Amino acid sequence: ITTLNAPLAIALALIDNLKSQIAKTAALGTVAFLDEDFFIKKSVRELLFDGYPDFLTKLAPILNPKIPFQPSFGWMYGKNETDDGLFVVNTGKADINRVNEIETLNGLPELQFWSGSRCNSLKGAKNGELFNPIPSIDRSLLLFRTNFCRVLSLAWNQTLQSKYGKLRVYRYFPADNSYANSTDYPPNSCYKPNQNVSFADIGDNDGDDVDIPTLLKRVKTLVNDTDVIEKLENLYMDFLANGTQAFDLNANISDHEWGKYRDYPSGVFDLSVCYFGAPVFISNPHFLKADPYFLTTVSGLTPDPTLHQSYLDIEPQTGTPIELELRVQINVHINQLASYFPKYWHMPRIHVPVLWQEFTIHATDDLAGDLHWKLTGPSIIATTISSVFVVIGVLTLLWVLSKPVMRRCKHNNGPVMVADDDNAVGTCDTSALITDNNDHKDSQPVIT
């Protein structure tokens, strides 16, 4: 498929984050030297898990030493068999409502990415594997996923019957203000990068700029790739021959400033602070519920709640998640540095949708059926046993009430037979139920 050249867009953002003017100029010269296109054609396997070799990806640790070296680029390259960190969660022993609440993540009681404590807080958040029992409709739940670098608020939407095990479940949607900017929803103003968390920076420990030979030496140390080193050496020879004119792309490239952070229209969420400065934004697929602005920047999007809405179904008596559909779109922002290259002058400053993915988790039919039986079985058994005892009680009462009649019939000397022309019927004298026995002490059986 034809898609955005994400390594190029990410490289421009990483370059923009550099404080070293020499490093920034050299990096821009490298991008100009490579002369890559902003759109490329790759297979889906390459774009996802397999990855594909990319020159700029190999240089990423030079632009930001915190980025681990990877020979190839893929949105999920190297993600298999990885974990989300060390979680310490509450057992719920003292308070069942706190079961599975996150106490610490990697030894820390809160996140470190954001500028405000409210946005860094993990208090009350759960990782989605188990929630507390919900005796009545709880209007809000907190879900934390490491991929989002934040806690998401889930709002109750409706009560319905699940298609798994015919369980009664509460359905929750992500709150509509999850991706709102701070103008539309002021509490989100703390979702700005923590100034104490640096994207990293190329420069000596004393803050002085480094020269190009030092950068080239670092490349040789970090990147064991002859093609990469050869290209950079050629670039360096060009620099020696032509001086700074070799990199003269723009007369004034301003230093990176934290203050340049800005709000975009509501509907996207900036994850660059926890992805090494890469301009990655998440949103609902097809910009569902986003500001209409985003639908004007790209064509071909058709938001549909039935296809693009995330939701979580929870069985309320046990707090067991029955079904989760987590749908997320990955967007890459094209930043201002593209305009420094004549080849990219016409690139708009927009969020380009790259892909959207759906995480589907649901209970198996056997598990849901077993849970349904454990929830309804005791009631069915109790009702059945109660009904049996009621029937036995009624039959016992009838038997007790009928004992005098049965006793009278047994002690009579003989049956009283009434005969007519057609038949003879045997009867039992039940007068003992309404008259005194002395009135009939001389009575004898009579045959008529």
Side-chain angles (χ1 to χ4, degrees):
I1 64 172
T2 299
T3 185
L4 180 74
N5 186 349
L8 175 58
I10 293 172
L12 292 178
L14 295 178
I15 293 171
D16 198 25
N17 291 331
L18 296 175
K19 293 181 181 180
S20 169
Q21 189 68 29
I22 290 179
K24 181 178 289 189
T25 303
L28 287 174
T30 303
V31 173
F33 177 79
L34 295 175
D35 194 32
E36 293 192 1
D37 292 326
F38 244 105
F39 290 90
I40 56 176
K41 183 176 289 186
K42 298 292 178 182
S43 71
V44 174
R45 292 181 62 90
E46 290 176 310
L47 292 170
L48 294 181
F49 289 96
D50 288 0
Y52 58 90
D54 183 83
F55 181 88
L56 291 173
T57 299
K58 295 175 183 178
L59 288 181
I62 306 301
L63 299 176
N64 184 341
K66 291 184 178 181
I67 299 177
F69 174 77
Q70 292 189 152
S72 300
F73 175 82
W75 287 104
M76 300 178 187
Y77 180 79
K79 295 295 184 182
N80 280 337
E81 299 183 6
T82 58
D83 61 61
D84 292 336
L86 179 62
F87 286 83
V88 175
V89 300
N90 195 297
T91 63
K93 181 178 180 180
D95 182 358
I96 189 61
N97 291 321
R98 298 193 60 196
V99 64
N100 206 37
E101 278 189 10
I102 299 172
E103 299 286 342
T104 62
L105 172 59
N106 294 326
L108 298 175
E110 62 179 21
L111 304 176
Q112 304 295 311
F113 303 119
W114 311 110
S115 61
S117 58
R118 174 187 170 275
C119 293
N120 283 320
S121 175
L122 293 170
K123 185 177 181 180
K126 307 186 180 185
N127 59 17
E129 296 174 356
L130 182 66
F131 291 85
N132 56 283
I134 308 172
S136 59
I137 295 173
D138 192 336
R139 295 293 177 177
S140 179
L141 298 175
L142 299 178
L143 175 67
F144 174 75
R145 302 301 300 170
T146 52
N147 292 341
F148 299 160
C149 308
R150 58 165 292 184
V151 173
L152 286 176
S153 178
L154 305 179
W156 177 87
N157 177 261
Q158 60 179 316
T159 301
L160 70 160
Q161 186 182 65
S162 173
K163 58 186 176 183
Y164 301 103
K166 298 180 180 180
L167 291 163
R168 175 177 168 269
V169 296
Y170 291 164
R171 174 159 292 185
Y172 290 83
F173 286 168
D176 290 341
N177 56 33
S178 296
Y179 303 144
N181 62 27
S182 59
T183 301
D184 294 339
Y185 187 65
N188 280 353
S189 61
C190 60
Y191 283 117
K192 293 181 180 179
N194 183 351
Q195 296 187 27
N196 296 321
V197 179
S198 173
F199 285 141
D201 175 35
I202 295 181
D204 290 335
N205 293 333
D206 58 4
D208 295 336
D209 284 345
V210 295
D211 55 21
I212 293 179
T214 301
L215 290 177
L216 186 60
K217 183 178 179 180
R218 291 182 179 180
V219 171
K220 292 181 179 180
T221 302
L222 289 172
V223 181
N224 184 22
D225 190 307
T226 56
D227 290 338
V228 172
I229 295 174
E230 181 181 356
K231 288 183 179 181
L232 290 179
E233 286 178 339
N234 291 336
L235 184 66
Y236 178 50
M237 295 303 295
D238 189 23
F239 168 74
L240 292 178
N242 301 304
T244 57
Q245 293 181 356
F247 305 133
D248 191 14
L249 301 172
N250 190 349
N252 181 22
I253 302 175
S254 62
D255 289 340
H256 173 77
E257 296 178 359
W258 288 99
K260 76 175 186 175
Y261 179 87
R262 54 158 291 190
D263 278 342
Y264 296 98
S266 293
V268 297
F269 186 78
D270 187 359
L271 292 181
S272 61
V273 69
C274 55
Y275 282 93
F276 308 108
V280 176
F281 290 71
I282 58 172
S283 68
N284 290 322
H286 288 241
F287 292 123
L288 175 71
K289 297 182 179 181
D291 189 286
Y293 159 79
F294 294 102
L295 295 180
T296 66
T297 61
V298 292
S299 60
L301 299 183
T302 53
D304 183 349
T306 61
L307 298 175
H308 306 139
Q309 176 68 63
S310 299
Y311 65 86
L312 171 65
D313 290 347
I314 297 179
E315 195 291 308
Q317 294 186 56
T318 60
T320 304
I322 302 301
E323 185 176 9
L324 171 66
E325 294 280 1
L326 191 56
R327 295 154 171 165
V328 182
Q329 180 170 292
I330 297 176
N331 312 280
V332 175
H333 183 251
I334 308 300
N335 78 354
Q336 60 197 15
L337 284 186
S339 62
Y340 296 146
F341 304 90
K343 186 175 183 179
Y344 309 140
W345 275 347
H346 299 293
M347 282 298 299
R349 308 297 165 259
I350 63 172
H351 296 82
V352 180
V354 177
L355 59 92
W356 73 271
Q357 52 191 332
E358 176 176 307
F359 301 90
T360 302
I361 304 171
H362 65 81
T364 63
D365 290 332
D366 290 342
L367 178 62
D370 184 57
L371 180 59
H372 182 265
W373 168 248
K374 289 179 178 178
L375 291 171
T376 60
S379 177
I380 294 174
I381 293 173
T383 301
T384 302
I385 293 176
S386 298
S387 300
V388 170
F389 278 123
V390 168
V391 171
I392 293 174
V394 171
L395 293 176
T396 301
L397 180 61
L398 292 175
W399 180 74
V400 170
L401 293 176
S402 64
K403 282 187 68 176
V405 177
M406 297 172 64
R407 188 180 299 111
R408 177 63 180 168
C409 292
K410 182 177 180 180
H411 288 87
N412 280 342
N413 293 330
V416 177
M417 303 297 295
V418 180
D420 56 23
D421 296 339
D422 299 320
N423 52 37
V425 180
T427 64
C428 181
D429 182 6
T430 60
S431 58
L433 295 177
I434 56 175
T435 61
D436 192 290
N437 289 337
N438 294 329
D439 296 339
H440 302 277
K441 60 185 178 180
D442 297 327
S443 61
Q444 295 294 333
V446 179
I447 296 179
T448 305

